[in-house]
Every structure is written in C-alpha cells, then in structure tokens.
C-alpha cells in the first residue's frame, strides 16, 4: 500500500503519525512511543501486523492492505471517562463509518462493531498508570476494508473506499470521544440503544440471562433467569448458542 498523504496528520488533528508497512502490533509500538514521551494525538498506523491482538489476547487477522490497523495515544486524566472509553469510541466510529457501509452498523458490548451478523471492527483499550492516575491510554482499532480470507463471515466497508478517506472520518471522531469527561450521558446511552446488537437477546457470558442495555458507567445490564438484574463491568458477551 502507499503511505498516507503527507497532510493527513494535520487534517485529522494528529500531532504525529507513524506509518509502518509491517509491524508486530500497533498497540505494542504505541506503548513504546508513549513510554518515550509521545504526545497525545500520536497515531501508529500499519499496512499489516504479524502480532495483532484483541481483547483477552485473541489474535486479530491483519492481512496486508485488508484493513485499517492502528493505535492512537491519548493522555486522559478522568477515571470515569476511561471506564467508558471503549463504548464512546464505538459510538464515535459507528457514526463515522456508517456512510462507508451498505448495512446499518450495530454495536456489541463492550468493543465490537457489526454489520448484519458479521464483525466489521474491534476496539482494544489499554491504559498505563502512574500511582492512581492514567499516564496514557492506547486506543487500538482494527477495521476490515475487505472480508478477511480467514473469516469469511466478517463484514467490511465498501471496497472502493480509500484508506485516507476512512481515516479522515475516523480519527477526529476518536479524538473527540477521548476528550470527553465523565460517565456516559443520557444521550449517549440512547445512541447506544439505537445500535445495540444484544438488547433483548439471551446470552451465556459474562453471565447467563437476557441482555438489557447498558448503564451510564458502561456496564451491561443482564436480567438473570430468576429476575435479578446484574451489572457486568468486564468480560465478553456471548450469545446463547454461539461458540465461545
């Protein structure tokens, strides 16, 4: 693939853009840069990864030119905002990417974007702390530009969309989400509800029951079989009958 346009960083509100043809993991490279003092608004972008990962150490297919593989460094100070950053980023990316998809984008708690039954994108948030405050956060995002050969059931944006065009839509939205403070607002919770892939569906993880949306702190509300409501703050959502 060609390198990003020389003006892309400025157009997207970045302070620095590191582009690699191949990298082990944009997440690992971002942590290395942040440890060395990289400013908020630094982006690591790769044409391909040979060690990309998602939540729980799951491998992410990162074929050359097949997607957008990137990690954005931010330096937030608000713990409540950090707790909901994956959800805020998902909301921002769903709106940013919607014009480039033929179907409606839905959100699967806590960090996935879908079109129909296929996964379009994933988000991975990793923070590093100094004493009781976050020193930086790495916001990793992978978006399929074409359906991966290893995951034929996945979704993608339309294949005629240039990478730079996607980045011009995504990056300002991501930076805006990272700049917000506090828990989710009522408007954000309503926006999530409009795109919620899981609402009303039976699930087995993170706890058996029926998914009933999220709360302002980003927890997944689950109605258990006996009627009690459980707020799941971590874990992965698995639908009933779905392989883990």
């Amino acid at each position: 693939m060609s390198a990003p346009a020389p003006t892309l960083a400025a157009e997207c509100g970045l302070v620095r853009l590191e582009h690699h043809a191949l990298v082990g993991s944009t997440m690992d490279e971002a942590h290395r840069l942040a440890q060395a003092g990289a400013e908020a608004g630094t982006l690591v972008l790769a044409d391909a990864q040979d060690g990309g990962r998602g939540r729980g150490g799951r491998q992410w297919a990162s074929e050359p030119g097949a997607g957008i593989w990137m990690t954005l460094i931010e330096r937030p100070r608000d713990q409540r905002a950090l707790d909901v950053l994956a959800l805020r980023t998902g909301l921002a990316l769903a709106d940013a990417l919607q014009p480039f998809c033929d179907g409606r984008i839905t959100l699967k708690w806590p960090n996935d974007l879908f079109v129909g039954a296929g996964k379009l994108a994933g988000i991975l948030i990793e923070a590093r702390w100094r004493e009781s405050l976050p020193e930086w956060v790495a916001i990793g995002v992978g978006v399929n530009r074409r359906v991966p050969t290893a995951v034929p059931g996945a979704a993608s944006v339309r294949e005629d969309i240039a990478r730079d065009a996607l980045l011009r839509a995504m990056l300002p939205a991501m930076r805006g989400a990272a700049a917000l403070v506090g828990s989710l607002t009522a408007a954000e919770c309503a926006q999530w509800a409009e795109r919620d892939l899981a609402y009303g569906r039976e699930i087995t993880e993170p706890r058996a029951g029926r998914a009933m949306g999220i709360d302002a702190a980003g927890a997944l509300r689950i109605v258990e079989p006996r009627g009690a409501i459980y707020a799941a703050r971590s874990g992965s959502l698995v639908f009933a009958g779905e392989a883990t």
Side-chain angles (χ1 to χ4, degrees):
M1 286 188 65
S2 60
T7 58
L8 185 67
E11 292 171 8
C12 295
L14 300 175
V15 300
R16 178 178 176 185
L17 194 162
E18 291 269 337
H19 172 250
H20 300 266
L22 174 65
V23 71
S25 162
T26 62
M27 180 68 69
D28 292 343
E29 182 64 14
H31 282 307
R32 185 188 69 78
L33 292 173
Q35 179 68 49
E39 297 179 63
T42 297
L43 181 76
V44 180
L45 175 70
D47 297 343
Q49 302 176 106
D50 57 14
R53 66 179 189 279
R55 292 179 72 246
R58 296 181 180 90
Q59 186 175 3
W60 180 276
S62 306
E63 301 170 5
I68 291 179
W69 325 120
M70 65 181 182
T71 299
L72 175 67
I73 298 169
E74 296 288 359
R75 294 186 179 271
R77 306 295 285 175
D78 181 17
Q79 172 66 60
R80 291 181 302 163
L82 189 57
D83 289 343
V84 298
L85 182 54
L87 281 74
R88 275 201 172 119
T89 301
L91 285 168
L93 288 177
D95 287 343
L97 291 170
Q98 187 61 73
F100 307 109
C101 295
D102 290 330
R104 180 166 175 76
I105 296 176
T106 56
L107 295 164
K108 182 182 178 185
W109 182 92
N111 66 325
D112 289 334
L113 284 73
F114 276 67
V115 175
K119 183 173 174 177
L120 168 70
I123 300 161
L124 177 64
I125 306 290
E126 290 185 355
R128 296 293 184 266
W129 298 75
R130 183 179 295 273
E131 297 178 350
S132 60
L133 292 174
E135 188 170 6
W136 72 80
V137 62
I139 307 170
V141 173
V143 180
N144 294 325
R145 294 184 61 211
R146 66 171 185 258
V147 175
T149 55
V151 192
S156 71
V157 297
R158 294 194 304 274
E159 292 191 24
D160 60 335
I161 308 300
R163 181 177 64 182
D164 282 8
L166 294 169
L167 292 171
R168 288 187 183 100
M170 295 167 62
L171 289 166
M174 290 172 61
R175 296 222 67 197
L180 296 174
V181 297
S183 301
L184 298 173
T185 65
E188 287 174 315
C189 290
Q191 290 163 9
W192 183 278
E194 290 175 358
R195 293 189 183 273
D196 192 348
L197 180 64
Y199 188 86
R201 295 177 62 175
E202 296 294 328
I203 63 174
T204 58
E205 296 289 343
R207 183 170 292 201
R210 184 177 299 234
M212 298 301 291
I214 61 171
D215 63 22
L220 176 67
R221 300 175 70 249
I222 303 169
V223 177
E224 298 178 309
R226 294 186 178 182
I229 297 178
Y230 176 76
R233 304 192 181 279
S234 63
S236 296
L237 191 156
V238 178
F239 293 118
E242 180 181 49
T244 57

